[in-house]
Amino acid sequence: MEEADLAEVAAIERENFSRPWTEEGFRKAVVDTHTRYLSAFLNEVLVGYIGMWIALDEGEITNVSVKKEYQGQKIGFHLLRRLLEEGEQLGVSAYFLEVRKSNQAAIALYERSGFEQAGIRKNFYEDPVEDGIVMCKR
C-alpha cells in the first residue's frame, strides 16, 4: 500500500465497516515499520486491501476489505495469501485476527486459509454490538 492509495482505501473502508478507519489512520499505519499493508488492483482499479501489525514473531491482521462490487472474486483470499507469504519472510510464525460472529464469508475464508477459532470476545464490535471471534494460525 502506498500513500497514493489511501483515499480509495478509506473509501472502501467506509463502504464496508460501521466504524471505519480514517485516511489518517491508514497513513499512520502504512509508514510504521512494524506493519505490512497491501493493496489489490484489478485493471488499475484499487479493489481491496489488507493490513497487519507485527510484534516479534506474531502478526495481528487488522484490516481485510474488498470493494463491494468486486466481492466474491477471491480477491480477499489472494490478499490474505500474499500477506501470509510476506509475514513468513518477515519471521512471523503466528497470526491473529478478530471477525464479527455474523461474518460467515470472512470466517470461511480464514478457515480455508488455515485459521482456527481460538475464542470469543463478548460485545467486541459496536454498531451493531456483536461478539468477535478470535482466530489464529500458527
Side-chain angles (χ1 to χ4, degrees), residues 63-82:
N63 310 75
V64 182
S65 192
V66 175
K67 204 171 199 176
K68 284 196 187 278
E69 65 258 37
Y70 292 93
Q71 291 176 2
Q73 299 181 35
K74 297 189 177 184
I75 294 165
F77 171 80
H78 291 294
L79 277 164
L80 182 58
R81 187 185 70 197
R82 181 68 183 147

